[in-house]
Amino acid sequence: HGRETMTGDKLAQLRALAKKGRAGGKGTMRRTKKVVHQRSADVEEKKLQAVTRKLQLQPLDDVAEANLFVNDGDVMHFEKPNVEVGNRATRTMIISGEYQKTDLGSLVPRILRQLGESNLDA
């Protein structure tokens, strides 16, 4: 029994089967579904939700804005962030959402107005 050379008809037949989702000839299994990979943003969101459940964090509503000061002098400014906090033992807080990276000098006047004059004298 020698190897048979593949004729043009046989090759066309196998290509037609491959388009239908069948890998080989008669009697082979068909691929039942096409695997659709999750987007990375969805995966990251699911991981974040799993961590918040594990740490038993609770959402903190009505946070208008948040500022995170970075060592290089920049500020990550969040408007309407999603804030989740844990109990005192965990000392955990998650701030998520879209932010703008700005320099500290542009936010100082805004921060001073929020503090008010009575807080600046102390």
PDB file of all heavy atoms in Angstrom, residues 65 67 69 75 77 102-117 120:
ATOM      1  N   GLU A  65     -15.254  64.007  43.027  1.00  0.00           N
ATOM      2  CA  GLU A  65     -13.951  63.952  42.371  1.00  0.00           C
ATOM      3  C   GLU A  65     -12.909  63.394  43.331  1.00  0.00           C
ATOM      4  O   GLU A  65     -13.114  63.364  44.541  1.00  0.00           O
ATOM      5  CB  GLU A  65     -13.523  65.334  41.871  1.00  0.00           C
ATOM      6  CG  GLU A  65     -13.292  66.352  42.952  1.00  0.00           C
ATOM      7  CD  GLU A  65     -12.920  67.711  42.398  1.00  0.00           C
ATOM      8  OE1 GLU A  65     -12.537  67.810  41.221  1.00  0.00           O
ATOM      9  OE2 GLU A  65     -13.000  68.676  43.151  1.00  0.00           O
ATOM     10  N   ASN A  67      -8.387  63.110  43.661  1.00  0.00           N
ATOM     11  CA  ASN A  67      -7.065  63.458  43.142  1.00  0.00           C
ATOM     12  C   ASN A  67      -6.035  62.535  43.759  1.00  0.00           C
ATOM     13  O   ASN A  67      -5.987  62.370  44.977  1.00  0.00           O
ATOM     14  CB  ASN A  67      -6.711  64.911  43.489  1.00  0.00           C
ATOM     15  CG  ASN A  67      -7.612  65.898  42.782  1.00  0.00           C
ATOM     16  OD1 ASN A  67      -7.861  65.766  41.597  1.00  0.00           O
ATOM     17  ND2 ASN A  67      -8.117  66.873  43.509  1.00  0.00           N
ATOM     18  N   PHE A  69      -1.978  62.066  43.961  1.00  0.00           N
ATOM     19  CA  PHE A  69      -0.731  62.781  43.715  1.00  0.00           C
ATOM     20  C   PHE A  69       0.377  61.766  43.448  1.00  0.00           C
ATOM     21  O   PHE A  69       0.637  60.886  44.255  1.00  0.00           O
ATOM     22  CB  PHE A  69      -0.389  63.664  44.918  1.00  0.00           C
ATOM     23  CG  PHE A  69      -1.443  64.697  45.179  1.00  0.00           C
ATOM     24  CD1 PHE A  69      -2.484  64.446  46.063  1.00  0.00           C
ATOM     25  CD2 PHE A  69      -1.416  65.905  44.510  1.00  0.00           C
ATOM     26  CE1 PHE A  69      -3.469  65.389  46.296  1.00  0.00           C
ATOM     27  CE2 PHE A  69      -2.395  66.860  44.738  1.00  0.00           C
ATOM     28  CZ  PHE A  69      -3.426  66.600  45.629  1.00  0.00           C
ATOM     29  N   VAL A  75      -0.679  64.956  38.861  1.00  0.00           N
ATOM     30  CA  VAL A  75      -1.870  64.599  39.616  1.00  0.00           C
ATOM     31  C   VAL A  75      -2.816  63.839  38.694  1.00  0.00           C
ATOM     32  O   VAL A  75      -3.049  64.250  37.559  1.00  0.00           O
ATOM     33  CB  VAL A  75      -2.592  65.859  40.155  1.00  0.00           C
ATOM     34  CG1 VAL A  75      -3.845  65.480  40.918  1.00  0.00           C
ATOM     35  CG2 VAL A  75      -1.673  66.669  41.030  1.00  0.00           C
ATOM     36  N   HIS A  77      -6.424  63.215  38.149  1.00  0.00           N
ATOM     37  CA  HIS A  77      -7.671  63.855  38.561  1.00  0.00           C
ATOM     38  C   HIS A  77      -8.855  63.060  38.009  1.00  0.00           C
ATOM     39  O   HIS A  77      -9.037  62.951  36.811  1.00  0.00           O
ATOM     40  CB  HIS A  77      -7.706  65.298  38.048  1.00  0.00           C
ATOM     41  CG  HIS A  77      -8.976  66.021  38.368  1.00  0.00           C
ATOM     42  ND1 HIS A  77      -9.298  66.393  39.643  1.00  0.00           N
ATOM     43  CD2 HIS A  77     -10.006  66.410  37.578  1.00  0.00           C
ATOM     44  CE1 HIS A  77     -10.482  66.998  39.619  1.00  0.00           C
ATOM     45  NE2 HIS A  77     -10.932  67.014  38.375  1.00  0.00           N
ATOM     46  N   THR A 102      -2.698  65.763  35.084  1.00  0.00           N
ATOM     47  CA  THR A 102      -2.348  67.175  34.996  1.00  0.00           C
ATOM     48  C   THR A 102      -1.245  67.485  36.002  1.00  0.00           C
ATOM     49  O   THR A 102      -0.922  66.665  36.852  1.00  0.00           O
ATOM     50  CB  THR A 102      -3.570  68.073  35.309  1.00  0.00           C
ATOM     51  OG1 THR A 102      -4.022  67.782  36.634  1.00  0.00           O
ATOM     52  CG2 THR A 102      -4.710  67.828  34.339  1.00  0.00           C
ATOM     53  N   ASP A 103      -0.697  68.710  35.888  1.00  0.00           N
ATOM     54  CA  ASP A 103       0.324  69.092  36.867  1.00  0.00           C
ATOM     55  C   ASP A 103      -0.366  69.725  38.077  1.00  0.00           C
ATOM     56  O   ASP A 103      -1.493  70.210  37.999  1.00  0.00           O
ATOM     57  CB  ASP A 103       1.350  70.046  36.251  1.00  0.00           C
ATOM     58  CG  ASP A 103       0.731  71.336  35.786  1.00  0.00           C
ATOM     59  OD1 ASP A 103      -0.379  71.285  35.215  1.00  0.00           O
ATOM     60  OD2 ASP A 103       1.336  72.384  35.976  1.00  0.00           O
ATOM     61  N   LEU A 104       0.306  69.721  39.191  1.00  0.00           N
ATOM     62  CA  LEU A 104      -0.252  70.186  40.456  1.00  0.00           C
ATOM     63  C   LEU A 104      -0.625  71.664  40.402  1.00  0.00           C
ATOM     64  O   LEU A 104      -1.647  72.075  40.955  1.00  0.00           O
ATOM     65  CB  LEU A 104       0.746  69.926  41.590  1.00  0.00           C
ATOM     66  CG  LEU A 104       0.325  70.343  42.989  1.00  0.00           C
ATOM     67  CD1 LEU A 104      -0.938  69.611  43.403  1.00  0.00           C
ATOM     68  CD2 LEU A 104       1.441  70.070  43.971  1.00  0.00           C
ATOM     69  N   GLY A 105       0.150  72.460  39.711  1.00  0.00           N
ATOM     70  CA  GLY A 105      -0.095  73.903  39.653  1.00  0.00           C
ATOM     71  C   GLY A 105      -1.456  74.260  39.077  1.00  0.00           C
ATOM     72  O   GLY A 105      -2.077  75.238  39.493  1.00  0.00           O
ATOM     73  N   SER A 106      -1.949  73.477  38.139  1.00  0.00           N
ATOM     74  CA  SER A 106      -3.247  73.791  37.535  1.00  0.00           C
ATOM     75  C   SER A 106      -4.414  73.449  38.454  1.00  0.00           C
ATOM     76  O   SER A 106      -5.498  74.010  38.315  1.00  0.00           O
ATOM     77  CB  SER A 106      -3.399  73.059  36.200  1.00  0.00           C
ATOM     78  OG  SER A 106      -3.439  71.663  36.410  1.00  0.00           O
ATOM     79  N   LEU A 107      -4.215  72.561  39.441  1.00  0.00           N
ATOM     80  CA  LEU A 107      -5.303  72.184  40.348  1.00  0.00           C
ATOM     81  C   LEU A 107      -5.295  72.944  41.667  1.00  0.00           C
ATOM     82  O   LEU A 107      -6.291  72.924  42.394  1.00  0.00           O
ATOM     83  CB  LEU A 107      -5.237  70.676  40.637  1.00  0.00           C
ATOM     84  CG  LEU A 107      -5.675  69.755  39.508  1.00  0.00           C
ATOM     85  CD1 LEU A 107      -5.484  68.303  39.915  1.00  0.00           C
ATOM     86  CD2 LEU A 107      -7.115  69.991  39.136  1.00  0.00           C
ATOM     87  N   VAL A 108      -4.188  73.629  41.997  1.00  0.00           N
ATOM     88  CA  VAL A 108      -4.086  74.307  43.293  1.00  0.00           C
ATOM     89  C   VAL A 108      -5.195  75.332  43.502  1.00  0.00           C
ATOM     90  O   VAL A 108      -5.843  75.335  44.558  1.00  0.00           O
ATOM     91  CB  VAL A 108      -2.680  74.928  43.483  1.00  0.00           C
ATOM     92  CG1 VAL A 108      -2.651  75.877  44.663  1.00  0.00           C
ATOM     93  CG2 VAL A 108      -1.656  73.827  43.666  1.00  0.00           C
ATOM     94  N   PRO A 109      -5.494  76.231  42.554  1.00  0.00           N
ATOM     95  CA  PRO A 109      -6.576  77.193  42.791  1.00  0.00           C
ATOM     96  C   PRO A 109      -7.922  76.526  43.067  1.00  0.00           C
ATOM     97  O   PRO A 109      -8.679  76.963  43.934  1.00  0.00           O
ATOM     98  CB  PRO A 109      -6.635  78.016  41.497  1.00  0.00           C
ATOM     99  CG  PRO A 109      -5.317  77.823  40.858  1.00  0.00           C
ATOM    100  CD  PRO A 109      -4.846  76.474  41.276  1.00  0.00           C
ATOM    101  N   ARG A 110      -8.195  75.451  42.372  1.00  0.00           N
ATOM    102  CA  ARG A 110      -9.456  74.717  42.559  1.00  0.00           C
ATOM    103  C   ARG A 110      -9.510  74.075  43.952  1.00  0.00           C
ATOM    104  O   ARG A 110     -10.544  74.088  44.616  1.00  0.00           O
ATOM    105  CB  ARG A 110      -9.558  73.654  41.463  1.00  0.00           C
ATOM    106  CG  ARG A 110     -10.863  72.979  41.381  1.00  0.00           C
ATOM    107  CD  ARG A 110     -10.845  72.077  40.170  1.00  0.00           C
ATOM    108  NE  ARG A 110     -12.095  71.380  40.048  1.00  0.00           N
ATOM    109  CZ  ARG A 110     -12.400  70.595  39.047  1.00  0.00           C
ATOM    110  NH1 ARG A 110     -11.544  70.416  38.085  1.00  0.00           N
ATOM    111  NH2 ARG A 110     -13.546  69.984  39.004  1.00  0.00           N
ATOM    112  N   ILE A 111      -8.391  73.519  44.389  1.00  0.00           N
ATOM    113  CA  ILE A 111      -8.337  72.867  45.704  1.00  0.00           C
ATOM    114  C   ILE A 111      -8.488  73.910  46.809  1.00  0.00           C
ATOM    115  O   ILE A 111      -9.205  73.693  47.788  1.00  0.00           O
ATOM    116  CB  ILE A 111      -7.023  72.069  45.860  1.00  0.00           C
ATOM    117  CG1 ILE A 111      -7.013  70.898  44.889  1.00  0.00           C
ATOM    118  CG2 ILE A 111      -6.841  71.574  47.281  1.00  0.00           C
ATOM    119  CD1 ILE A 111      -5.683  70.191  44.780  1.00  0.00           C
ATOM    120  N   LEU A 112      -7.850  75.054  46.649  1.00  0.00           N
ATOM    121  CA  LEU A 112      -7.942  76.108  47.661  1.00  0.00           C
ATOM    122  C   LEU A 112      -9.372  76.622  47.794  1.00  0.00           C
ATOM    123  O   LEU A 112      -9.838  76.899  48.901  1.00  0.00           O
ATOM    124  CB  LEU A 112      -6.987  77.253  47.332  1.00  0.00           C
ATOM    125  CG  LEU A 112      -5.492  76.926  47.451  1.00  0.00           C
ATOM    126  CD1 LEU A 112      -4.649  78.111  47.029  1.00  0.00           C
ATOM    127  CD2 LEU A 112      -5.155  76.481  48.860  1.00  0.00           C
ATOM    128  N   ARG A 113     -10.084  76.768  46.694  1.00  0.00           N
ATOM    129  CA  ARG A 113     -11.490  77.205  46.755  1.00  0.00           C
ATOM    130  C   ARG A 113     -12.335  76.180  47.509  1.00  0.00           C
ATOM    131  O   ARG A 113     -13.245  76.535  48.259  1.00  0.00           O
ATOM    132  CB  ARG A 113     -12.052  77.386  45.343  1.00  0.00           C
ATOM    133  CG  ARG A 113     -11.754  78.710  44.724  1.00  0.00           C
ATOM    134  CD  ARG A 113     -12.648  78.949  43.517  1.00  0.00           C
ATOM    135  NE  ARG A 113     -12.621  77.855  42.566  1.00  0.00           N
ATOM    136  CZ  ARG A 113     -11.874  77.825  41.467  1.00  0.00           C
ATOM    137  NH1 ARG A 113     -11.094  78.842  41.179  1.00  0.00           N
ATOM    138  NH2 ARG A 113     -11.913  76.796  40.654  1.00  0.00           N
ATOM    139  N   GLN A 114     -12.050  74.904  47.318  1.00  0.00           N
ATOM    140  CA  GLN A 114     -12.834  73.858  47.987  1.00  0.00           C
ATOM    141  C   GLN A 114     -12.569  73.848  49.491  1.00  0.00           C
ATOM    142  O   GLN A 114     -13.464  73.586  50.284  1.00  0.00           O
ATOM    143  CB  GLN A 114     -12.515  72.487  47.403  1.00  0.00           C
ATOM    144  CG  GLN A 114     -13.053  72.298  46.012  1.00  0.00           C
ATOM    145  CD  GLN A 114     -12.628  70.972  45.412  1.00  0.00           C
ATOM    146  OE1 GLN A 114     -11.908  70.202  46.039  1.00  0.00           O
ATOM    147  NE2 GLN A 114     -13.059  70.715  44.191  1.00  0.00           N
ATOM    148  N   LEU A 115     -11.328  74.130  49.895  1.00  0.00           N
ATOM    149  CA  LEU A 115     -10.995  74.126  51.320  1.00  0.00           C
ATOM    150  C   LEU A 115     -11.639  75.292  52.049  1.00  0.00           C
ATOM    151  O   LEU A 115     -12.059  75.160  53.189  1.00  0.00           O
ATOM    152  CB  LEU A 115      -9.478  74.167  51.511  1.00  0.00           C
ATOM    153  CG  LEU A 115      -8.708  72.917  51.131  1.00  0.00           C
ATOM    154  CD1 LEU A 115      -7.205  73.160  51.249  1.00  0.00           C
ATOM    155  CD2 LEU A 115      -9.126  71.752  52.013  1.00  0.00           C
ATOM    156  N   GLY A 116     -11.697  76.439  51.412  1.00  0.00           N
ATOM    157  CA  GLY A 116     -12.262  77.632  52.053  1.00  0.00           C
ATOM    158  C   GLY A 116     -11.226  78.323  52.910  1.00  0.00           C
ATOM    159  O   GLY A 116     -10.227  77.736  53.330  1.00  0.00           O
ATOM    160  N   GLU A 117     -11.474  79.592  53.209  1.00  0.00           N
ATOM    161  CA  GLU A 117     -10.531  80.406  53.973  1.00  0.00           C
ATOM    162  C   GLU A 117     -10.403  79.944  55.417  1.00  0.00           C
ATOM    163  O   GLU A 117      -9.335  80.035  56.015  1.00  0.00           O
ATOM    164  CB  GLU A 117     -10.952  81.869  53.938  1.00  0.00           C
ATOM    165  CG  GLU A 117     -10.762  82.504  52.572  1.00  0.00           C
ATOM    166  CD  GLU A 117     -11.114  83.982  52.585  1.00  0.00           C
ATOM    167  OE1 GLU A 117     -10.967  84.607  53.648  1.00  0.00           O
ATOM    168  OE2 GLU A 117     -11.534  84.470  51.542  1.00  0.00           O
ATOM    169  N   LEU A 120      -7.750  77.287  55.732  1.00  0.00           N
ATOM    170  CA  LEU A 120      -6.395  77.692  55.400  1.00  0.00           C
ATOM    171  C   LEU A 120      -5.687  78.366  56.571  1.00  0.00           C
ATOM    172  O   LEU A 120      -4.464  78.325  56.649  1.00  0.00           O
ATOM    173  CB  LEU A 120      -6.406  78.640  54.189  1.00  0.00           C
ATOM    174  CG  LEU A 120      -6.879  78.015  52.881  1.00  0.00           C
ATOM    175  CD1 LEU A 120      -6.928  79.069  51.792  1.00  0.00           C
ATOM    176  CD2 LEU A 120      -5.970  76.871  52.466  1.00  0.00           C
TER     177      LEU A 120
END
